[in-house]
Structure formats: C-alpha cells, structure tokens
Amino acid sequence: MPRPTFTSYMAMPLARHNLCQSSQSYPVRAPARLQKLVSDVTKGPKLYAWTIDNLEAHRQKRDTKLELHTRNLIQADPTKRVHILGIGNLGRLYATSLANLGEAPITLILHRKGLLEHWASEPAIEITRRGVTERVGNFDVEWWTEEKPPVGPVREVCQGYSISNLIVSTKAPDALPQVDRLRRYLDAKSTVAFVQNGMNRLWPPNGAIYNDKRFLPNQHPNWIHCVTTHGVTSLGPLKSIHASPADIAMGPVSLNPETQDCSDYLVEQILRAPHLSARAVPTSALWVLQLEKLVVNSTINPLTALLRCKNGSLFSESGDSASEKVMDLLLDEASLVLQALVQHPSSREILAESSFPDTGTHESADGMALLARFSPARLRAMLHQVGEKVKDNTSSMLQDVTSGKQTEIREFNGWFVDMAEYLGLETPNHKVICDLVENGGLVLGQDQLGRHFPAINNL
C-alpha cells in the first residue's frame, strides 16, 4: 500500500475547505503593513543571480572547475532544487542538514555582495554540535539583485522560470517582504516554507487578502511553516553552534487546492534531513504550536534583551523577582488575546478539524479545549517548563541587541498588540515592552525593570 503523502493526511480539511479561498462572513481589515506591501501592483522586479564568477577579483582566478560548476548549476533539475533565503543561524541549520541528506541541490541566497565575496574566500558553513565542528560547502551560492552584473555570465534568477522549493529563514520582519520581492518567480507549483520565529503572516484572514492581491485565482504557492525549537547561536559570519538540539513541527498554513501535491518534495526533504528531527502536523496543530511558541518568545526574549542575561536568569527560586512578575503580566495579556482569538470567526476555518498536539483528541469546532490550553495558569506552566530546558541559552533577541541588529520585537510582542487591537482589546504591558526594547541599547536591572511596570505591585 503506498505511503500517504504529506498533503493527503495532513491537509485533508484543505481539500474541502481551502483556507485561502473561503468566503468570509466577518469584517476583514488588512494590517497596515500588509496593505502597504500589496499596494505595489507591479509584477515584481527582475532579479539577476550573481555568483562568485561575477566578482572581478575571483574571475581573475577562475578555472575549468568553475565553468563546469556553472554548467551543472544550469542543468540540475529545477524541480528538485531547494533555495534557502537567509543564511543566519536557522538558515545554516537547515542548509547543513539538507546537505547532509545529500539528495537535493541547494542554492544559498545571500542578501549582500559582501557575503558573496566572503564565500569566495571561505566557501563553507561551519556548524558546531556537541563540541565537533563540521564544515559543509557543497552548495551553490548566489546574490539576487536588480543590478545587472558587469562581468561574468548574466543570468536571471532561475533562468526566468519559477522557484520550485524555497525555505525562508530570514528574520521574521523580513520574511514576507522578501518573499513578496520574489513574486515574479513564484506560482502555483512553488512551495514556500517559512522557518522563522513569530506568527506566520498568512494565517486567516490575511492569507486570503495577500493571495487575492498578488496572484490569479488558484495560482498562489503552497505556504507551509516550520515551528523550529532548536537553539542555534552565531559564532560569526556563516558559523553557528547548535547549542540545544530539539525538533521541528511542520505543517500547511495554506495549500493551493490544485497543486498541493507539489509541496510533498520539500516536506519530505525536511522530514528526512538529519539533525532536524522534523515531524508533520495538521494545520490546526501547527497554529496552536506557533501561538504557544510566540508566548514563550514574547516573554523570554525581550526580558533577556533588556536585562542582558541568559534565559535561566529570568526565573528565581522564590518566584517573586521583577522579571517573573513582568512575565506574569505579559502572560495574562497573552491569555486574554489568545482566548478571544479562539472564539473569533476568523479562527473557525483553522479549527474545522481540531486535532491538537499532545492530546490526540478531537475537540468540537468551538475550540473549548483551547480556552483551557490558553489559560494564564497553563501558559505559565508551559513557560516554566520551556525555561528550564533553555536556561543556559542566549535568546535570539539578546544576540540581536548586542550585535546592533534589528530585533523581532514587533513580530513577537507587537503581534499581541496588533491582534488585541483587531479584537477590540488592550495589551498595555506588551506595548511597554516593545517601547523598551526599541529604545536603543537600554540595559536594565531587576529594580529598574519593575519601575516600568507599576501593575506588578498589584500581583
């Protein structure tokens, strides 16, 4: 008997009830960022794929091996090629794991010319796991830009055809804008897997808005998401340490009802890749897992960034530190928002088949089980359980602020602020935490932190 495909048993509700195409019986207001994104009605820019052969300094050293590599790059089966956009910590984890599987040709998409020059001199990703460093270099590497290369071969991205398999591992604020920039090269046979933290921006009702604005009917890609709990820390350009091996829950956000089988190849590659420990989950389970991970990220990450501490320092034995009291405030507001979201009409589509993770039970479509799952007490227990597992880790937001990079605060706590507004609620403490993190290099002690949250005096 043939093995069931990812789409056949993970997305059965989508065959009957496509999340991107369903009619809405409630008012839909596109978020301001989404409205701004789709206000550009052009086809999308024509992009050129620079390789190291387009670097003048490198061309002076080129040889027949490079020319053979270029021919192989063009001749490889495009439907089997996996493109990875964003080569930060998660991008390196996925790239090296898929390379170790050794089946798909992989193209790393770099975001600036300087990284292409760096690759020309050091052509490998280094990842350290359990004290052992592995160098992986069997990748094709490109910089995609509107600038036509002045030297070397001139090639359009994917020879002007569509991208078959795309893993998006940029930071959360850049994910959808970067994918939108590639819309000229995306179609119904494309599969796009988002792997960053934060909630996917294409969950209902926003996915329908984006697809309707960007693609002809039934011509949008298959959108999937990977909830990644691995802890990966940067050691420098193209170097990371796989500090806390964990797992990945992968499922469909929305599939194209006419081409959903096209997603099976990329999904299978991720499921079988070593070190990823990926598993497939249904849409409803994916949604729940993303929301729960968002609760963790919006609580631990910003506080470690403000206090400049490892994750475990937020938790005290007495439980009465300022950081723990602030966490309680954030969890209470998160619970309020999530319980309201579960009961909102926009969630009915996701909950149509409600098999939730860790329970194995089928609940009624009103999501009563989720109301208990998203209670303050349950979220608090979950946070402390995760906190114990990652106590020795450095959060991604702390890594960002110490290196002067943009944080994901608006994708974490900002999501709760935006969703609360959409639902007619208020989240003043999440607003405060956003403002504090965005206040440059602000560093606080426990006492200073408490003064920004007067409500902790009521706890």
Side-chain angles (χ1 to χ4, degrees):
M1 183 176 180
R3 178 185 175 186
T5 65
F6 171 74
T7 52
S8 67
Y9 75 101
M10 285 299 154
M12 288 301 290
L14 297 181
R16 306 186 306 268
H17 193 125
N18 181 25
L19 298 185
C20 283
Q21 303 293 328
S22 61
S23 60
Q24 314 287 356
S25 59
Y26 51 89
V28 177
R29 294 179 290 117
R33 281 184 293 177
L34 182 58
Q35 288 178 340
K36 182 178 180 181
L37 193 67
V38 299
S39 63
D40 178 1
V41 296
T42 64
K43 184 179 179 180
K46 179 179 179 179
L47 300 174
Y48 295 96
W50 287 49
T51 68
I52 55 177
D53 199 26
N54 296 114
L55 302 175
E56 182 62 42
H58 182 78
R59 278 187 60 79
Q60 296 172 2
K61 303 175 183 178
R62 72 177 182 176
D63 53 25
T64 55
K65 290 182 180 179
L66 174 64
E67 294 172 357
L68 178 61
H69 165 79
T70 302
R71 289 199 298 272
N72 289 340
L73 177 63
I74 295 173
Q75 293 171 2
D77 183 352
T79 66
K80 304 300 182 186
R81 180 170 293 278
V82 176
H83 290 86
I84 301 180
L85 175 64
I87 312 300
N89 288 318
L90 289 183
R92 296 167 204 165
L93 174 65
Y94 278 81
T96 54
S97 299
L98 289 170
N100 284 334
L101 182 61
E103 296 182 358
I106 301 169
T107 297
L108 308 180
I109 308 169
L110 307 180
H111 70 279
R112 55 186 173 88
K113 185 178 180 181
L115 280 176
L116 188 62
E117 294 169 338
H118 179 88
W119 184 270
S121 60
E122 298 184 43
I125 293 176
E126 288 188 8
I127 189 158
T128 301
R129 189 179 289 109
R130 298 183 180 91
V132 178
T133 298
E134 177 185 21
R135 285 176 56 87
V136 184
N138 51 327
F139 304 108
D140 298 306
V141 180
E142 298 178 348
W143 173 46
W144 290 1
T145 174
E146 296 178 51
E147 180 184 348
K148 189 175 182 179
V151 298
V154 176
R155 291 190 306 109
E156 188 178 357
V157 164
C158 296
Q159 309 298 315
Y161 295 103
S162 63
I163 301 168
S164 295
N165 308 287
L166 178 65
I167 294 176
V168 184
S169 49
T170 64
K171 285 291 189 179
D174 299 324
L176 190 56
Q178 286 296 316
V179 168
D180 191 66
R181 178 172 176 258
L182 303 180
R183 60 188 180 275
R184 173 189 289 260
Y185 305 101
L186 298 174
D187 61 20
K189 294 184 178 180
S190 302
T191 298
V192 179
F194 296 91
V195 305
Q196 51 281 125
N197 291 321
M199 286 300 290
N200 192 291
R201 290 287 175 176
L202 297 177
W203 285 115
N206 297 336
I209 297 171
Y210 180 77
N211 287 340
D212 289 346
K213 293 287 187 181
R214 278 291 179 248
F215 303 98
L216 295 173
N218 292 331
Q219 290 302 305
H220 62 81
N222 291 291
W223 308 110
I224 65 178
H225 199 103
C226 300
V227 178
T228 307
T229 58
H230 293 273
V232 190
T233 303
S234 178
L235 296 177
L238 301 177
K239 298 178 181 179
S240 294
I241 180 170
H242 192 179
S244 299
D247 60 18
I248 293 167
M250 174 175 46
V253 174
S254 66
L255 301 180
N256 188 312
E258 297 186 1
T259 63
Q260 57 188 26
D261 287 348
C262 291
S263 66
D264 287 337
Y265 175 76
L266 180 58
V267 167
E268 189 70 16
Q269 290 292 303
I270 295 174
L271 286 174
R272 296 175 51 231
H275 308 301
L276 294 184
S277 299
R279 70 186 191 279
V281 299
T283 296
S284 56
L286 180 73
W287 186 67
V288 171
L289 290 169
Q290 267 208 293
L291 290 171
E292 290 181 333
K293 189 166 191 289
L294 181 66
V295 170
V296 173
N297 289 146
S298 64
T299 308
I300 290 179
N301 284 34
L303 290 176
T304 57
L306 291 170
L307 296 170
R308 297 296 196 274
C309 65
K310 288 187 177 293
N311 298 341
S313 298
L314 299 178
F315 304 89
S316 65
E317 292 185 7
S318 63
D320 62 355
S321 66
S323 58
E324 285 184 288
K325 291 180 179 179
V326 172
M327 286 193 286
D328 285 344
L329 294 177
L330 297 175
L331 290 172
D332 286 343
E333 290 182 354
S335 174
L336 180 70
V337 170
L338 296 186
Q339 288 183 331
L341 179 62
V342 167
Q343 300 174 83
H344 192 268
S346 65
S347 301
R348 291 175 188 161
E349 299 154 295
I350 300 170
L351 300 178
E353 177 136 328
S354 305
S355 178
F356 300 127
D358 305 326
T359 66
T361 61
H362 289 263
E363 307 291 345
S364 60
D366 62 4
M368 290 302 296
L370 285 182
L371 295 179
R373 191 178 180 112
F374 291 150
S375 68
R378 167 62 176 74
L379 294 181
R380 191 167 293 111
M382 177 196 69
L383 179 68
H384 282 259
Q385 183 180 32
V386 174
E388 176 62 26
K389 291 180 180 179
V390 300
K391 62 183 179 182
D392 296 323
N393 291 2
T394 301
S395 74
S396 60
M397 195 172 294
L398 177 54
Q399 294 180 59
D400 288 339
V401 296
T402 54
S403 59
K405 296 180 180 179
Q406 179 188 15
T407 72
E408 296 175 306
I409 190 69
R410 288 292 165 185
E411 300 298 317
F412 295 171
N413 303 78
W415 183 91
F416 282 105
V417 174
D418 293 342
M419 184 56 67
E421 181 181 353
Y422 177 74
L423 297 170
L425 304 172
E426 293 186 357
T427 50
N429 294 298
H430 281 274
K431 288 182 179 179
V432 170
I433 207 80
C434 286
D435 292 340
L436 291 175
V437 171
E438 291 179 331
N439 185 16
L442 185 64
V443 182
L444 300 176
Q446 287 278 355
D447 291 341
Q448 294 169 308
L449 175 68
R451 288 198 287 270
H452 289 279
F453 296 89
I456 66 173
N457 297 320
N458 300 325
L459 295 178

